[in-house]
Amino acid sequence: MSTLLASAADAGSTSLDFSLAQEMTVIGLCALTAFIAHMALAVFNDGVRPFLLDFIQGRTTRSATAAVSFGLSAGFIFGLGAPMALSTGVLNPWLLFLPTDVLGILSPKRWLAPLLGGAWGAVVVFGLGGANDLAHDLPVDFLTALQQMSTPILFLFTLFPMLAITKQFGRLRGGIAGVVELVLVVFTMKMWPDVFPGAIAMAVGVLMLIGFATTKDLGQRRQQRAEAAKAAVGGGGSAGGDSTGAPAGTGAATEPEDPTASLFSASAARMRRYLPLYMVLGAGVCLLAQMHVFGGGEATSFLIAKGDYSGAAQVDFYRVFGFIPLIATTALASGAYAIAGFTLVYPIGYLLPNPWLALIVGALVFAVEVLALSYLGRLLGKLPSVRDSSEHLRNAISESLWLAILFGSLMAANAMGGGLGILIVGGLYLLNEAMGRIVVRMAAAPAAVIVGGVLLNILYWLDLFTPVKG
């Protein structure tokens, strides 16, 4: 276990130097995602996707939609995406795909969108390395200090299934899940010290949540069928009509038409028309994940940085369950898919042995996802508890990561500046809260570490601060 933690702590020394193939993949994928965003076929930001329906139907302008995208994305780009990439040496979707959302939607011409996206990809692959080297040469190395976030993120993230179970099914089941997860973490640390200790615990926790939700839905369906059968038997004696008193044959028993059915059908048809383009997108995202210079999440970035690709695959696989219902329903409602799909291409890509296989599998995965959207929409409509579990999972992931990032950022502040560092970073975070969260909560603490690091370097140059040793 000490080896695992040491490797995670050393992840910040990873250089942001890319091979030619990696550079071309990043630039090409950024160009493609900007082009797809321009056509309103897919965006990465889940909050932007619902706004695309008005844009697609001509009820709002391109510039207004781009303003919404920038407003919802800027904090994550500069407060989370950039700090995570600089501190781990691993690229992430907030840094790559949120800017291409904005650039693609903003571009007035179709041919300009891929040029802007490709230019952003070039800035990332050619500019981050220099910024990384510069930051590490400063008297107060705040990027290395940011590595303090790794341990809180890796371990607190493990608890998100317990939080989701507690919120949805109560304290008793949540407490049982927490005890089970703790036992599994301790057992894994003891028996398999080189394995990410949260992997098995998260798997069991997610399975428990799905089991509770599925059992509840199936029980409710059985109860509804029993009540319907009982009502049918009780109303069987009504002559010439049904139990509602309507004349026979009038169709009064026909279910009302779902007003969203036609919208969902049109959206699914629109996405199927562009299936080849989605397949190219899936191939590109899967290829980038296979190159091991990209992590799909906060915990994943640290695991990729230390070479634990199987652990990263497990973490991102469990996250999928929290996002399938959200992505499926927003895609069917808006006619725009997600840049990473259901994010299944992340864990698959991490584990594939070569890039050619990643291209093929990524394309096939996206094809299956797009073609299955209508079926998933109908299925989720029949399983309300499972659908609710997805929302609880997303909220639990956000809560656990928010605490981990905040705690890790304060640890980073202490590492680079002691009490003064904590004062500056904690003060900036609290100021952001008091001002109505100008920077989104998840990104505020890492952004405060970077700003605090700059301020501490200025104080050092003014001979007002001595860097913390060790």
Side-chain angles (χ1 to χ4, degrees):
M1 187 61 210
S2 59
T3 302
L4 184 149
L5 292 178
S7 299
D10 290 341
S13 61
T14 303
S15 175
L16 278 162
D17 293 328
F18 303 99
S19 68
L20 179 61
Q22 292 166 347
E23 292 170 352
M24 293 299 100
T25 299
V26 172
I27 293 172
L29 186 57
C30 286
L32 176 63
T33 53
F35 177 73
I36 289 176
H38 173 85
M39 297 180 67
L41 291 174
V43 290
F44 180 78
N45 194 320
D46 295 320
V48 173
R49 201 171 303 116
F51 291 93
L52 290 182
L53 180 61
D54 285 341
F55 173 68
I56 292 169
Q57 296 182 348
R59 293 194 295 267
T60 188
T61 64
R62 181 173 294 278
S63 58
T65 308
V68 170
S69 180
F70 179 79
L72 293 175
S73 303
F76 287 102
I77 296 169
F78 302 109
L80 188 61
M84 289 294 294
L86 288 168
S87 61
T88 63
V90 176
L91 301 177
N92 57 70
W94 306 287
L95 182 64
L96 294 183
F97 302 144
L98 289 180
T100 58
D101 281 358
V102 179
L103 293 172
I105 296 172
L106 182 63
S107 174
K109 301 292 183 181
R110 182 176 295 185
W111 60 266
L112 182 59
L115 293 181
L116 294 174
W120 174 255
V123 168
V124 170
V125 294
F126 297 121
L128 278 184
N132 185 64
D133 294 339
L134 175 63
H136 283 306
D137 290 337
L138 293 172
V140 179
D141 184 356
F142 51 85
L143 294 186
T144 298
L146 273 170
Q147 276 302 306
Q148 298 291 327
M149 291 194 302
S150 62
T151 301
I153 287 176
L154 289 174
F155 281 87
L156 288 176
F157 183 74
T158 302
L159 296 176
F160 78 85
M162 179 203 71
L163 297 179
I165 291 172
T166 305
K167 291 291 182 67
Q168 187 171 7
F169 296 105
R171 288 174 289 184
L172 177 59
R173 292 184 182 182
I176 293 172
V179 171
V180 169
E181 288 202 52
L182 176 61
V183 169
L184 289 172
V185 168
V186 174
F187 180 80
T188 304
M189 292 172 67
K190 180 67 175 178
M191 300 301 296
W192 303 295
D194 294 329
V195 175
F196 172 48
I200 298 175
M202 281 190 289
V204 173
V206 170
L207 288 175
M208 290 176 69
L209 176 63
I210 294 173
F212 292 147
T214 304
T215 301
K216 181 178 179 180
D217 281 337
L218 294 178
Q220 288 178 342
R221 289 176 67 83
R222 283 194 298 268
Q223 182 180 356
Q224 290 170 356
R225 284 196 297 267
E227 291 175 352
K230 185 177 180 180
V233 171
S238 300
D242 61 15
S243 59
T244 66
T250 62
T254 303
E255 293 184 2
E257 183 179 356
D258 183 357
T260 64
S262 59
L263 173 62
F264 279 19
S265 177
S267 297
R270 178 178 188 262
M271 287 182 281
R272 286 196 296 270
R273 285 199 303 271
Y274 291 95
L275 183 61
L277 190 57
Y278 287 121
M279 293 176 69
V280 174
L281 175 62
V285 176
C286 194
L287 174 62
L288 184 62
Q290 192 277 333
M291 289 180 165
H292 299 151
V293 295
F294 173 88
E298 299 88 347
T300 312
S301 294
F302 288 106
L303 292 168
I304 291 290
K306 73 181 190 65
D308 186 0
Y309 308 129
S310 62
Q314 291 180 72
V315 169
D316 272 354
F317 178 73
Y318 304 142
R319 289 172 66 110
V320 169
F321 294 101
F323 289 89
I324 285 180
L326 172 68
I327 292 170
T329 52
T330 55
L332 288 170
S334 66
Y337 199 37
I339 289 294
F342 294 142
T343 69
L344 278 170
V345 287
Y346 292 164
I348 291 172
Y350 302 148
L351 299 177
L352 290 176
N354 65 73
W356 297 110
L357 190 58
L359 289 170
I360 296 171
V361 173
L364 292 176
V365 168
F366 259 51
V368 171
E369 290 180 5
V370 172
L371 293 174
L373 277 173
S374 294
Y375 170 77
L376 283 172
R378 292 193 298 270
L379 179 63
L380 291 170
K382 298 177 181 178
L383 298 172
S385 295
V386 173
R387 188 175 64 246
D388 292 344
S389 294
S390 169
E391 183 176 351
H392 286 294
L393 274 176
R394 291 197 309 275
N395 291 336
I397 288 171
S398 296
E399 287 182 19
S400 59
L401 285 175
W402 163 72
L403 178 61
I405 291 173
L406 175 59
F407 186 66
S409 296
L410 291 175
M411 292 171 61
N414 183 64
M416 68 182 184
L420 180 60
I422 293 176
L423 173 67
I424 293 174
V425 172
L428 289 172
Y429 180 86
L430 293 174
L431 181 62
N432 183 68
E433 290 284 305
M435 296 174 66
R437 296 178 187 166
I438 297 174
V439 179
V440 290
R441 202 177 201 187
M442 189 78 74
V449 173
I450 292 181
V451 174
V454 172
L455 291 175
L456 288 174
N457 277 292
I458 293 173
L459 292 175
Y460 169 80
W461 289 323
L462 296 174
D463 200 23
L464 297 175
F465 171 72
T466 301
V468 174
K469 299 298 181 182

